[in-house]
Amino acid sequence: MASIDDLIEMLLRREGGYIDHPDDRGGPTNFGITEATARAAGYGGAVRDLPRSTAADIYRKRYWHETGFDRVNALAPRIAAELFDAGVNMGPAVATGFLQRALNALNRRERDWPDIPQTRRIDTATLAALKAMLQTRGKAGETVLLRALEALQGARYIELAEARPANESFVYGWLAGRIGDFHA
């Protein structure tokens, strides 16, 4: 499985350099990092000039360690990679919410593990449910969980385009580049 350095490298290549798309509510980005995210991480320069290494550091700190996706990685690296990518694109809380929803839907009405609160954070209950899922269903269960996460992510992209037509500028690329291949 890919290390966080490998995941960040793949992400930086896919995100590319500086972009200022008129339909992007987040404004200009560089390596996928918005000005607001760069500022929150302590970067004071122009986003156009954001160093690649600074973008990598932001991804590692804010989207891997602070989110708890590194703890998921210890149990299920493919799930962690998916959460990382979805978390970068639509926010870590959204990605974690997908995981919690999927774990609750897959627990066979709490026969395999109890439902977990929808905290949208990687917490002890979420990690316990993930561990129980993997113990109960094994490698095949990890694959099914991965498919559930991708299905929820794909559905969210369609919903975003339906709710705001300007997002249609991005939905094809989101589906083409973020569903099914990132964690491979």
Side-chain angles (χ1 to χ4, degrees), residues 6-181:
D6 294 335
L7 295 175
I8 291 170
E9 183 58 34
M10 286 186 284
L11 181 68
L12 290 171
R13 279 196 311 264
R14 180 182 9 200
E15 291 290 347
Y18 180 78
I19 298 170
D20 188 6
H21 195 288
D23 289 340
D24 189 345
R25 281 187 174 168
T29 64
N30 199 353
F31 303 111
I33 302 289
T34 65
E35 183 174 0
T37 298
R39 296 285 177 265
Y43 177 74
V47 74
R48 176 185 297 277
D49 300 326
L50 180 77
R52 193 174 201 276
S53 61
T54 301
D57 290 344
I58 290 169
Y59 284 132
R60 183 176 292 101
K61 181 179 181 205
R62 294 197 66 201
Y63 294 91
W64 188 250
H65 294 295
E66 288 180 7
T67 61
F69 297 160
D70 59 332
R71 295 187 304 159
V72 171
N73 189 60
L75 299 172
R78 293 187 307 155
I79 301 303
E82 178 64 25
L83 292 172
F84 173 71
D85 183 59
V88 164
N89 190 247
M90 51 180 59
V94 172
T96 302
F98 291 162
L99 175 63
Q100 291 169 334
R101 287 175 61 197
L103 287 168
N104 284 347
L106 292 167
N107 70 3
R108 296 185 315 153
R109 297 189 304 178
E110 299 189 82
R111 284 187 294 200
D112 296 328
W113 59 86
D115 278 344
I116 54 175
Q118 301 296 292
T119 62
R120 295 170 40 120
R121 292 184 324 273
I122 299 297
D123 51 24
T124 55
T126 302
L127 292 170
L130 176 59
K131 185 181 263 188
M133 165 74 175
L134 297 170
Q135 289 172 342
T136 302
R137 300 289 187 170
K139 199 68 172 165
E142 184 179 4
T143 299
V144 169
L145 180 57
L146 186 59
R147 288 178 185 162
L149 295 174
E150 290 175 344
L152 290 166
Q153 185 178 0
R156 171 114 169 134
Y157 290 139
I158 300 298
E159 291 165 2
L160 289 171
E162 290 171 339
R164 182 175 173 259
N167 284 332
E168 290 180 15
S169 296
F170 310 111
V171 75
Y172 181 89
W174 288 335
L175 292 169
R178 293 199 122 84
I179 304 297
D181 66 346

